[in-house]
Amino acid sequence: IGTNTALLVGHGSVRRDVIGLAERHATSAEVAKMQGLVAQAMNDGAIGLSSGLYYVPGIYANTEEVVALAKVAAQYDGIYDTHLRDESTFNIGFSQAVSEAIKIAKQADIHLHIAHIKALGVDVWGQSVPIIEQIEQAQAQGISISADQYPWQASGTHIRSAVVPKWVMADSLEAFHKRLRDPSLLPKIRREIIENIRRRGGPSALL
């Protein structure tokens, strides 16, 4: 590799290994297995735990699951790097997603890094100032937090990850395709896709 590189162990990867794409919370036994995988990765040289709680399968995890894994990374002086569960109004809301990330960092006693932080879409435009204040208040309480942002006025991901409802993608690729072909589900899927496009600012926001 021609540049300096540090690797993180992905929450989505260990969850997929233990649970697959099941749309449910992990059992205590499954959390223990995931903790073992995180510990192994940290011993192998990972610098911390990353999560993509907006994406499948991370979105199916509850906060407690992520805290349990972050605690393992913290034992190795690792960091917690997260793509927030919501950067808009797709599920729990932007502010609540930041609160969740702060809660994980506080309970796991670990440094929090928020990946490409932003107010995404028309519903949360203008919220950047209160979000920064929310983070600064947590920092004042002793929680170590950093963030980054990419230098362009857009976001980058797969179209299905951006607008397709997460429940449609659960379980397996075959189940995903089956739901897309199910005439009884198509009206609901179509409505949710249209609403997700609206949240992002309309069709032009996807170009």
Side-chain angles (χ1 to χ4, degrees):
I1 299 176
T3 56
N4 294 327
T5 303
L7 302 180
L8 297 149
V9 52
H11 165 248
S13 296
V14 299
R15 192 175 218 273
R16 189 187 297 262
D17 281 352
V18 174
I19 305 177
L21 299 180
E23 187 182 4
R24 62 173 175 81
H25 295 163
T27 65
S28 56
E30 289 166 340
V31 170
K33 289 181 181 179
M34 287 189 279
Q35 287 178 311
L37 291 174
V38 172
Q40 178 183 334
M42 296 300 295
N43 276 312
D44 288 342
I47 67 164
L49 173 73
S50 65
S51 71
L53 300 182
Y54 173 74
Y55 296 102
V56 174
I59 195 168
Y60 304 143
N62 58 17
T63 306
E64 291 70 26
E65 174 183 323
V66 186
V67 169
L69 303 188
K71 285 181 176 179
V72 176
Q75 293 172 4
Y76 296 84
D77 296 323
I79 68 169
Y80 174 57
D81 186 317
T82 186
H83 180 300
L84 295 171
R85 193 180 292 272
D86 198 352
E87 299 171 324
S88 185
T89 57
F90 289 100
N91 46 77
I92 65 174
F94 187 21
S95 178
Q96 283 298 107
V98 172
S99 294
E100 179 187 39
I102 292 171
K103 178 180 179 181
I104 292 166
K106 182 177 181 180
Q107 292 190 0
D109 191 20
I110 195 169
H111 173 78
L112 167 65
H113 182 79
I114 302 176
H116 47 70
I117 190 171
K118 59 187 174 292
L120 175 66
V122 294
D123 291 349
V124 293
W125 285 347
Q127 289 189 18
S128 58
V129 171
I131 290 297
I132 291 171
E133 291 174 349
Q134 182 179 353
I135 291 171
E136 289 176 340
Q137 289 172 5
Q139 290 172 327
Q141 296 170 7
I143 302 172
S144 180
I145 307 174
S146 59
D148 67 74
Q149 177 55 277
Y150 38 58
W152 54 82
Q153 294 181 349
S155 61
T157 189
H158 298 288
I159 287 291
R160 70 178 185 183
S161 297
V163 299
V164 175
K166 299 300 186 285
W167 62 267
V168 180
M169 294 184 277
D171 304 317
S172 67
L173 185 62
E174 292 75 17
F176 174 37
H177 290 165
K178 183 178 180 180
R179 292 184 186 106
L180 290 178
R181 291 192 297 264
D182 188 336
S184 67
L185 294 177
L186 285 180
K188 175 178 171 62
I189 294 172
R190 187 179 297 113
R191 285 194 304 271
E192 293 188 26
I193 287 176
I194 291 171
E195 176 58 19
N196 287 341
I197 292 172
R198 182 202 67 77
R199 288 189 177 100
R200 287 182 172 267
S204 61
L206 299 176
L207 299 178

